[in-house]
Amino acid sequence: MAQSTFSWPQRTTGLFKRGATIYRRPVSPNLILSKSTGKRNLRSLYLHGVFRDRIEMLLSAQTFVGQVLVILVFVLSIGSLIIYFINSADPVGSCSSYEDKTIPIDLTFNAFFTFYFGLRFLAADDKIRFWLEMNSIVDIFTIPPTFISYYLKSNWLGLRFLRALRLLELPQILQILRATRTSNSVKISKLISIILSTWFTAAGFIHLVENSGDPWIKGRNSQTVTYFESIYLVMATTSTVGFGDVVAKTSLGRTFIMFFTLGSLVLFANYVPEMVELLVNKRKYTSSYEVLKGKKFIVVCGNITVDSVTAFLRNFLRRKSGEINTEIVFLGEVPPSLELETIFKCYMAYTTFISGSALKWEDLRRVAVESAEACLIIANPLCSDSHAEDTSNIMRVLSIKNYSPTTRVIIQILQSHNKVFLPKIPSWNWDTGDNIICFAELKLGFIAQGCLVPGLCTFLTCLFVEQNTKVCPKRPWQKIFLSSLKNKILTQRLSDDFAGMSFPEVSRFCFVKLHLMLIAIEHEFSLSSYCGLLLNPPAQVRLHKNTLGFFIAESAKDVKRAFFYCATCHSDVYSPELIGKCCCKSKNNRHFPGSRVMVKTTTAPKVFSEPELFDPFPSSHLKRISALSSTTRTFLYEDSTDSLDSTGMFHWCRATRLDKVILKRTDKAKHEFRNHIVVCIFGDAHSTLMGLRNFVMPLRASNYTRRELKDIVFVGSLDYLQREWRFLRNFPQIYILPGSALYAGDLYAVNIEECAMCAVLSSPSKSPCQTLVDTETIMATLNIGSLRISCSASTPSDPEGISQSFSGPGSSKYRRVPILTELKNPSNIHFIEQLGGMEGHFPGTSLHLSTSFSTGAVFSGSFLDSLLATAFYNYHVLELLQMLVTGGISSQMEYHLGKDKFQRLSSSFSTILSERKRCKLGLLSLHQSVLLNIEVSLLLMELPAAFCVSGKGPGYLGP
């Protein structure tokens, strides 16, 4: 008959805890036990399972009982060590006396150690490994000699000095008692415990062997050495300074000194300087910044690293040494590294570092943020989690504004959708200079404008962004290009003599008379207090007194001419360098008698004479603000099938389903894309969103008519693009092809040979190697650049066939696909520089002097770091840049666009008409402009790139 069996009813696993985690341990693989042996196995299983787990949980440092036991063992070990110090005054081996009270006390301590040793043994998972642990070795060599000495009535010190190794648990004890709360204090306590335990243990061994002598000669070479003298010898040996008054005479002692000297050189050479550095830096970087009356300073916090600090200092301190009167106080959450300390020492006259966090009011008080000119927050564009980086920086802004509401804050933001939280802070104030630098918005805006106007991203980069590195031109064209980089966007108040003149008149006068290029003004409208930035406004806009002008010039000294100009004193001055401050005090409301100006309109031309001050903009801006700040009814305005959003700023359409815009490779003949924009995306379902809405918005600005809009085709992973689609579904003429730019078949499916521009956006790579962050982008660029397109198939954007062409193997010629590539790491330019079209190859060429960058084929967002200093010195320049690259959105509109009103149609006919009069950038054909009569060769030497800023009013030629 078969033996009866029973299933295990309850317990099949055991629980044990390590740190803060509870694990399950399999107890027995045999879940079916025989009836005869079931009770015995049950008892064994219970003892090895439940009892052991409970003991381990009891001894854990996470429980209260475990913490008490750990602290008690440590205190008793120190007590036993003190008893050893007392007994070391006697010989190593001596007869004990009942009058010695230290013997029973030490015996009691070791009895508790024996009990604790047994508990640890029962709770140990690996019994063999348990015997090799340091605490087990200490107990094995210290507990038995105590009981044997008590039994034999002979006090032998033996290896009782090993109790000093228990000092290594000092950091854990201090953490349990909450005595150490910072990483520095924990590190200091650890270093101190290592040094003390090493000294006491080594001194105990020297004391033992020197007093006992070498055993093979029966101790005849022993000497009487006290424990204090042993510590003295060990410390002298550690410092490598031997005075010779106390020396080791035994062979064991000398051998130990030899190895201890080598070990101490390595051990203490690392630990002692680190401990001294921690103690010194704690006092050095935890002090408060002393505010001096009349001394200006700013506070910089956030991502304080070697790279970010170096880039910031280069941009902030680019001015002449005599013009820099602002000190920089860096507030870092961790002490600076040695390399970062070296940087601070190099800029000692301008920088101060204080350890602390902007999230703590106490640290904000130490840096006196309420007295600072501004607080600048640096973001980490290479972080793995952009959302977490933005969130932490927004919390810093909130902490600063709560502590000091009037402090000016300039913050770098990585993702554009996080910008809407900042204007919601009650004390946020655009008028006082609070500003946001959004990397995604500006970077994608640059690339979008480069798709509309080839080379424009390079043009704007050179005007607005400071270059961080010094470059050495080697070829003639590089010298000319480098010389053009001196031109920057500068602002200056205009002379009151220009009041009443139209913008085209003032612009022409500044160019001819002052040798300055005026491109925009800040205009205050007469019917409201609204003050807005106008780029190349029409002749209807008349300048007021104290108008702020935006110039393209080489230095601030040059633009001063527009402020100093006096019609009375400088009318006969023909050299712009001679125009300076005059002594004329009769400043009346004079203006030049202007001629009649022809203004083109959409219907019939109208002539405005000089005295007629017709200004349609104030009412339109009032209606624009009203449309943004109040809830309006849905209204569809259509002019040539144009539908705009409620602000009148962008083309709009009703939400389109994703499946309606997904293309198939077999649909190439169905769509027949021409003069379109192909965008290559790299990402997956788990990648961080880059915010493609910032790329589409400039391409859907309302100052372009519906016919001027170019189709946008995204090529990339459908899993990624469907996450972006909810931000793109209200923009017209957008299509998606699931695929990859690394596959030529997908590129031909979107008719890339007929595209106006192909943009390759950098992938959200998390590669730790900076050289490999652009791997997919570079491979896609090489793949697209290798495509052969016959020159006979010219695109509508290139009707004259002026794009770069090359000869293939044979007599036929081919042209390249126009491409714009984004690089995260500028040093990777050498991988694609061969596609620049120039003859020859120049290894080591920097991005600024590469043919790809100079021709507008490459853009790198690393330049945007310099905008932080630009925003501090002149936030108007940043506002102009934002208007140029984003399609006309100013920073004040960000809060309103964060609402759902952006998804509505326009409700005001007049708002649409006014907003569509915004200027737009474009390329001028050399055969259809004022440059027609100039020789092409001379023109290319003087004006490498001719851009036109045009609106409804008369445009003018930019550099």
Side-chain angles (χ1 to χ4, degrees), residues 388-441:
E389 178 72 11
D390 286 345
T391 303
S392 61
N393 288 332
I394 292 173
M395 292 302 296
R396 291 185 177 97
V397 176
L398 184 59
S399 175
I400 295 169
K401 285 294 186 179
N402 287 340
Y403 178 79
S404 177
T406 59
T407 299
R408 178 187 175 193
V409 175
I410 303 174
I411 178 177
Q412 290 179 340
I413 289 292
L414 302 181
Q415 296 180 327
S416 59
H417 61 267
N418 292 323
K419 294 175 58 178
V420 297
F421 298 104
L422 291 166
K424 296 178 181 179
I425 299 176
S427 54
W428 184 270
N429 190 352
W430 298 103
D431 297 331
T432 59
D434 292 342
N435 221 320
I436 306 171
I437 301 175
C438 180
F439 282 2
E441 180 183 70

Side-chain angles (χ1 to χ4, degrees), residues 30-143:
N30 184 18
L31 300 181
I32 307 298
L33 303 177
S34 65
K35 192 172 183 179
S36 59
T37 61
K39 294 183 179 180
R40 184 171 67 253
N41 289 342
L42 177 64
R43 187 181 304 109
S44 175
L45 186 62
Y46 180 81
L47 291 176
H48 289 81
V50 177
F51 187 67
R52 180 174 56 186
D53 293 340
R54 289 183 178 179
I55 293 177
E56 188 171 359
M57 291 286 290
L58 188 68
L59 298 180
S60 174
Q62 304 297 326
T63 62
F64 175 75
V65 177
Q67 292 177 353
V68 172
L69 287 175
V70 171
I71 295 175
L72 186 59
V73 169
F74 179 80
V75 173
L76 295 183
S77 297
I78 299 302
S80 179
L81 183 62
I82 294 175
I83 293 175
Y84 167 79
F85 293 158
I86 297 174
N87 294 335
S88 65
D90 300 328
V92 174
S94 60
C95 296
S96 61
S97 173
Y98 288 103
E99 297 180 355
D100 190 357
K101 303 299 182 183
T102 61
I103 300 298
I105 296 176
D106 194 26
L107 187 64
T108 305
F109 290 169
N110 282 272
F112 179 79
F113 295 151
T114 304
F115 170 73
Y116 188 69
F117 180 87
L119 293 179
R120 290 176 50 246
F121 178 77
L122 293 176
D125 295 330
D126 191 345
K127 305 300 182 183
I128 298 177
R129 185 178 179 182
F130 169 80
W131 293 97
L132 301 178
E133 293 179 357
M134 187 193 68
N135 289 335
S136 300
I137 295 175
V138 171
D139 291 337
I140 291 172
F141 285 103
T142 55
I143 294 177

Side-chain angles (χ1 to χ4, degrees), residues 498-779:
F498 295 128
M501 296 177 62
S502 65
F503 178 83
E505 291 174 338
V506 178
S507 177
R508 183 179 184 278
F509 183 87
C510 290
F511 186 81
V512 175
K513 182 77 174 181
L514 307 180
H515 292 186
L516 297 175
M517 184 170 290
L518 178 66
I519 62 173
I521 59 172
E522 186 181 53
H523 188 68
E524 183 176 352
F525 301 99
S526 56
L527 299 181
S528 66
S529 60
Y530 180 80
C531 188
L533 193 152
L534 299 180
L535 179 65
N536 188 27
Q540 297 96 315
V541 177
R542 304 290 175 167
L543 272 66
H544 300 160
K545 290 185 177 181
N546 202 32
T547 298
L548 182 67
F550 293 77
F551 296 88
I552 297 179
E554 292 188 4
S555 65
K557 180 181 178 181
D558 295 340
V559 298
K560 281 287 185 180
R561 305 168 192 164
F563 176 75
F564 290 137
Y565 181 79
C566 175
T568 304
C569 304
H570 301 140
S571 59
D572 56 347
V573 177
Y574 298 100
S575 178
E577 292 78 9
L578 300 179
I579 297 177
K581 188 175 181 181
C582 65
C583 301
C584 180
K585 299 184 182 296
S586 58
K587 290 288 185 179
N588 300 323
N589 293 332
R590 299 184 304 268
H591 59 273
F592 298 94
S595 59
R596 298 161 66 89
V597 182
M598 180 70 69
V599 181
K600 283 189 177 182
T601 62
T602 56
T603 57
K606 181 178 179 180
V607 178
F608 295 96
S609 61
E610 182 66 24
E612 185 179 359
L613 300 180
F614 173 75
D615 189 357
F617 283 86
S619 60
S620 65
H621 278 276
L622 288 176
K623 292 178 181 178
R624 166 182 167 185
I625 297 174
S626 175
L628 287 172
S629 59
S630 61
T631 304
T632 57
R633 63 187 177 89
T634 302
F635 180 81
L636 177 61
Y637 168 73
E638 295 186 358
D639 180 16
S640 301
T641 67
D642 288 6
S643 301
L644 307 182
D645 70 301
S646 59
T647 65
M649 305 287 289
F650 302 98
H651 287 271
W652 187 93
C653 69
R654 301 190 184 277
T656 307
R657 293 192 312 176
L658 179 62
D659 57 348
K660 297 293 184 180
V661 300
I662 295 179
L663 306 176
K664 298 180 180 178
R665 295 185 181 91
T666 58
D667 294 343
K668 178 179 179 181
K670 178 180 178 181
H671 293 281
E672 288 294 339
F673 291 113
R674 281 180 63 84
N675 196 29
H676 57 295
I677 297 175
V678 179
V679 186
C680 303
I681 306 295
F682 298 96
D684 51 35
H686 306 288
S687 300
T688 304
L689 296 180
M690 65 181 68
L692 294 179
R693 172 181 171 179
N694 300 298
F695 177 83
V696 174
M697 288 174 69
L699 302 177
R700 293 296 177 262
S702 62
N703 50 356
Y704 296 97
T705 63
R706 190 62 176 263
R707 292 184 177 180
E708 293 176 327
L709 298 184
K710 300 178 185 294
D711 293 331
I712 303 176
V713 184
F714 290 102
V715 180
S717 171
L718 184 60
D719 294 334
Y720 174 81
L721 289 172
Q722 67 182 358
R723 296 165 57 204
E724 292 268 14
W725 181 245
R726 66 189 184 99
F727 303 106
L728 306 176
R729 59 189 178 186
N730 289 104
F731 293 105
Q733 300 177 227
I734 297 180
Y735 304 92
I736 293 176
L737 177 71
S740 173
L742 303 178
Y743 178 56
D746 293 337
L747 298 176
Y748 282 115
V750 296
N751 205 18
I752 194 172
E753 61 270 19
E754 300 289 343
C755 73
M757 182 62 68
C758 179
V760 182
L761 304 184
S762 61
S763 60
S765 175
K766 298 180 180 180
S767 174
C769 180
Q770 292 301 307
T771 307
L772 301 179
V773 295
D774 297 315
T775 301
E776 292 178 315
T777 305
I778 295 173
M779 294 176 63

